[in-house]
Amino acid sequence: MADVQEPLVRRKRKKVLVDYLVQFRWIVVIFVVLPVSALIYFNIFLGDMWSAMKSEKKRQKQHDENVQKVVKRLKQRNPKKDGLVCTARKPWIAVGMRNVDYKRARHFEVDLSAFRNILEIDKERMVAKVEPLVNMGQITRATCPMNLALAVVAELDDLTVGGLINGYGIEGSSHLYGLFSDTVVAMEVVLADGRVVRATKDNEYSDLFYGIPWSQGTLGFLVSAEIKLIPIKEYMRLTYTPVRGSLKEMAQAYADSFAPRDGDPAKVPDFVEGMVYTASEGVMMTGVYASKEEAKKKGNKINSVGWWFKPWFYQHAQTALKKGEFVEYIPTREYYHRHTRCLYWEGKLILPFGDQFWFRFLLGWLMPPKVSLLKATQGEAVRNYYHDNHVIQDMLVPLYKVGDALEFVHREMEPGFEHQHRQGDTSYAQMFTDVGVYYAPAAVLRGEEFNGAEAVHRLEQWLIENHSYQPQYAVSELNEKDFWRMFDASHYEHCRHKYGAVGTFMSVYYKSKKGKKTEKEVQEAEAAILEPAYADEA
Ligand SMILES: Cc1cc2nc3c(=O)[nH]c(=O)nc-3n(C[C@H](O)[C@H](O)[C@H](O)COP(=O)(O)OP(=O)(O)OC[C@H]3O[C@@H](n4cnc5c(N)ncnc54)[C@H](O)[C@@H]3O)c2cc1C
């Protein structure tokens, strides 16, 4: 293609032991990770059912008691002796991929594991009050039968409300509702001094309300959130449109699919997603909620993509490249979680034959492996291997930059508000969108040298130069100066000082940065300097 630079040519790399450990990891996955994951999922499911059987009053009472335990624990901390505060959640349990070095150095843990209940579904206020460890699978199981849903539902079942508010939170309906945190009505937060406050967008804690998103838990502990609900219908009418052309043309087709050039709201779908399969082929999908009466009309095709034996979603969507545009109706909850079973396309790396017909029928019901167990069973060598040879990055970019972002990623990895009105923008906001880059780079698959750290570093520089953002769940190579070139620190620092977080909670850069890789290195680095950004004030 004339406008795309070809990927860099790289030298062959010599295979080492860890390459084979990764290549044959599927053995551990099949015999250990999958069966144990199934047991864990079942156990969690029983716990959720048990919680749902309790009265709202009882759940709220237990919640209040648990909040008091957090307050008590925070007050036990001796700032002279103890490290900075963070949650007791084990690094391997979280879905995010960053190093989480701070958990391998001195720190003071506060256990939030009890906060996993849906406290209330208020159909009148159209608000769900939930605790931070409630995950997406749990919330859709409760709300979908009522024809209600959170306005932004993340696709992987295991992503939690607390992680999506404090971490990232973008999905196929974000062109209408914004980030997950934009759909939050109120947050209950335990501050560094043990005060429990309820922050909303217009009360005395509104600065905290706007400071918490993407702060990675460094302003206080979120102990519950009230989140906007929307009415939904039973099915998603999904249109799959194949696109062939350059990456720029695909980016344009993506923008056209949900941000009509004439700005006509009637043409804006409820959901949007685009998948790029090669540098010249992609499929754009737009979804509109549909009633069961409509879905079941003669001639309409219903596809329950959630069944364990069904083709993986990204492969199913790819069939549009062969058969042309098609439309089908997917049960709404199954649509929300369409990428859960195969973890987008990461499932193929973990289980190279997982997408085969025989595997899906025989063992597909055990999928997906729990990300936490995958992480727990990988060991340090494999973890570091993934950091260097595997990409999981999202890029929050202005919509008009998607073509450039795709070209940049194609070349490097192969797989400020602008005062101009561009496609998708409104008079008061600029449309940003997510470009997700997941999988092993083609160079790694070909056995060539690939420097993951350098590639990520260049990606970060590209994001800074293009007024875009890197969500901090991913491995970051940013130094502190560049971190604060990407993000505006002013409001965050105001909240850090006003709410006493300095000297109690870690700074967001300290939590996000990629540091040393071994436990010993981390401890040595930590002994040298505790919290770089705020060392003089702590
Ligand atoms: C393959 C893959 C695909 C992904 N796809 C998407 C996607 O489509 N959309 C999207 O939005 N994100 C996506 N993510 C990223 C995801 O949003 C982040 O990993 C996110 O941080 C949620 O993870 P978690 O629920 O495990 O939270 P955690 O990683 O546990 O938490 C995230 C941060 O929030 C803090 N935190 C969590 N709970 C609290 C609390 N109660 N109080 C204070 N701080 C808290 C944690 O300390 C941490 O710093 C993806 C990640 C991967 C690996």
Side-chain angles (χ1 to χ4, degrees):
M1 280 176 315
D3 60 341
V4 180
Q5 282 178 286
E6 285 306 312
L8 306 171
V9 178
R10 298 176 166 98
R11 275 189 315 186
K12 280 272 176 218
R13 189 174 61 86
K14 236 179 110 192
K15 280 202 171 188
V16 288
L17 177 67
V18 68
D19 287 295
Y20 296 101
L21 287 179
V22 170
Q23 192 179 343
F24 294 103
R25 205 166 158 224
W26 59 266
I27 301 174
V28 180
V29 173
I30 290 212
F31 293 105
V32 182
V33 177
L34 280 182
V36 180
S37 295
L39 285 176
I40 296 177
Y41 279 122
F42 187 61
N43 199 22
I44 293 174
F45 173 76
L46 291 182
D48 294 347
M49 292 294 112
W50 175 241
S51 165
M53 279 157 60
K54 292 180 198 162
S55 70
E56 272 176 11
K57 215 168 141 200
K58 183 151 188 208
R59 273 177 271 162
Q60 183 63 48
K61 185 168 167 278
Q62 284 176 344
H63 170 78
D64 294 340
E65 286 163 7
N66 287 329
V67 171
Q68 284 318 308
K69 283 186 198 156
V70 171
V71 173
K72 192 168 158 212
R73 171 78 180 143
L74 262 180
K75 289 192 170 157
Q76 282 167 354
R77 174 173 172 263
N78 177 350
K80 294 210 176 75
K81 199 162 85 354
D82 297 317
L84 293 166
V85 172
C86 62
T87 71
R89 199 171 196 218
K90 297 285 168 246
W92 47 270
I93 295 181
V95 177
M97 302 308 284
R98 70 199 144 103
N99 245 15
V100 199
D101 288 332
Y102 58 90
K103 295 236 169 157
R104 289 184 286 135
R106 188 168 62 108
H107 61 275
F108 184 83
E109 291 192 344
V110 177
D111 185 6
L112 298 184
S113 62
F115 292 91
R116 48 180 333 110
N117 300 293
I118 298 174
L119 296 175
E120 187 186 3
I121 306 251
D122 186 335
K123 290 189 202 163
E124 264 169 41
R125 275 177 73 218
M126 289 294 274
V127 161
K129 185 174 181 193
V130 299
E131 293 183 321
L133 280 176
V134 165
N135 69 30
M136 293 298 106
Q138 183 182 355
I139 189 94
T140 53
R141 201 180 307 117
T143 60
C144 286
M146 303 176 199
N147 272 357
L148 297 175
L150 300 186
V152 174
V153 181
E155 289 142 4
L156 298 186
D157 284 21
D158 278 352
L159 294 178
T160 65
V161 165
L164 290 164
I165 293 175
N166 284 278
Y168 193 24
I170 194 164
E171 282 313 329
S173 59
S174 288
H175 62 298
L176 294 174
Y177 301 102
L179 292 177
F180 191 88
S181 51
D182 293 320
T183 69
V184 173
V185 179
M187 302 182 205
E188 185 187 14
V189 183
V190 182
L191 297 173
D193 60 5
R195 265 182 304 151
V196 183
V197 301
R198 180 174 179 270
T200 70
K201 61 173 75 139
D202 40 26
N203 73 0
E204 59 185 304
Y205 301 109
S206 67
D207 49 0
L208 183 64
F209 180 85
Y210 287 112
I212 283 184
W214 287 44
S215 70
Q216 305 286 346
T218 59
L219 295 176
F221 284 125
L222 179 75
V223 284
S224 75
E226 291 162 54
I227 312 174
K228 183 185 159 104
L229 288 167
I230 56 162
I232 59 161
K233 295 180 185 162
E234 296 86 351
Y235 285 87
M236 189 64 67
R237 187 177 73 240
L238 198 63
T239 306
Y240 304 74
T241 310
V243 182
R244 287 195 169 80
S246 66
L247 290 169
K248 283 253 164 68
E249 283 163 340
M250 274 191 267
Q252 188 56 53
Y254 171 67
D256 288 340
S257 71
F258 72 99
R261 291 174 199 228
D262 59 7
D264 179 0
K267 294 182 193 155
V268 180
D270 294 323
F271 272 83
V272 61
E273 180 176 30
M275 283 196 265
V276 177
Y277 292 93
T278 67
S280 57
E281 288 178 321
V283 175
M284 304 303 136
M285 283 148 281
T286 50
V288 178
Y289 287 112
S291 64
K292 59 173 182 284
E293 290 74 26
E294 177 185 332
K296 289 185 177 163
K297 271 193 194 141
K298 208 165 158 221
N300 287 343
K301 182 170 184 252
I302 293 183
N303 184 3
S304 298
V305 295
W307 285 106
W308 75 89
F309 49 80
K310 288 274 181 161
W312 286 356
F313 184 76
Y314 77 95
Q315 293 175 330
H316 169 63
Q318 198 173 6
T319 59
L321 287 168
K322 275 211 182 108
K323 62 182 185 195
E325 180 169 300
F326 65 98
V327 177
E328 62 186 16
Y329 290 79
I330 300 178
T332 298
R333 183 162 187 262
E334 294 181 31
Y335 173 76
Y336 288 152
H337 300 302
R338 63 200 176 280
H339 291 299
T340 291
R341 214 156 33 92
C342 51
L343 301 171
Y344 298 92
W345 30 97
E346 288 287 315
K348 181 90 176 143
L349 266 188
I350 301 162
L351 283 173
F353 42 79
D355 56 341
Q356 302 296 306
F357 176 78
W358 60 268
F359 179 87
R360 282 189 274 114
F361 264 85
L362 287 177
L363 290 175
W365 54 276
L366 285 172
M367 291 292 280
K370 251 192 131 24
V371 174
S372 49
L373 264 187
L374 284 172
K375 284 161 87 183
T377 53
Q378 68 189 3
E380 193 155 307
V382 174
R383 178 166 66 90
N384 291 338
Y385 177 93
Y386 279 128
H387 277 189
D388 294 337
N389 293 290
H390 184 231
V391 182
I392 291 200
Q393 291 283 341
D394 282 78
M395 304 158 76
L396 186 62
V397 301
L399 183 58
Y400 76 95
K401 287 275 184 190
V402 171
D404 294 341
L406 292 179
E407 286 184 356
F408 175 84
V409 166
H410 174 68
R411 179 181 150 71
E412 292 291 332
M413 293 161 173
E414 296 186 63
F417 199 93
E418 302 237 348
H419 296 282
Q420 254 175 309
H421 189 93
R422 316 236 187 194
Q423 190 173 0
D425 297 353
T426 62
S427 56
Y428 56 90
Q430 183 177 23
M431 178 71 79
F432 273 65
T433 195
D434 180 78
V435 176
V437 193
Y438 318 141
Y439 214 59
V444 172
L445 297 175
R446 287 193 300 264
E448 294 165 7
E449 282 180 355
F450 177 81
N451 189 327
E454 253 178 43
V456 169
H457 182 68
R458 283 198 290 272
L459 178 135
E460 289 160 349
Q461 294 307 316
W462 187 94
L463 290 171
I464 291 172
E465 282 155 23
N466 289 281
H467 318 293
S468 306
Y469 303 95
Q470 176 192 39
Q472 294 307 311
Y473 78 84
V475 172
S476 164
E477 300 289 338
L478 286 169
N479 61 35
E480 187 161 11
K481 194 163 149 247
D482 284 342
F483 186 88
W484 293 119
R485 277 173 69 211
M486 184 180 283
F487 299 103
D488 178 0
S490 49
H491 186 72
Y492 173 71
E493 293 211 358
H494 156 83
C495 289
R496 285 276 292 173
H497 285 89
K498 180 170 169 193
Y499 294 105
V502 178
T504 299
F505 291 105
M506 296 164 189
S507 80
V508 68
Y509 175 68
Y510 179 79
K511 273 191 89 172
S512 309
K513 78 188 163 109
K514 181 178 161 191
K516 309 288 184 212
K517 288 180 177 169
T518 67
E519 186 117 13
K520 193 163 161 279
E521 283 175 322
V522 173
Q523 274 168 9
E524 279 167 8
E526 197 258 355
I529 185 161
L530 187 63
E531 188 187 10
Y534 295 94
D536 342 332
E537 300 160 57

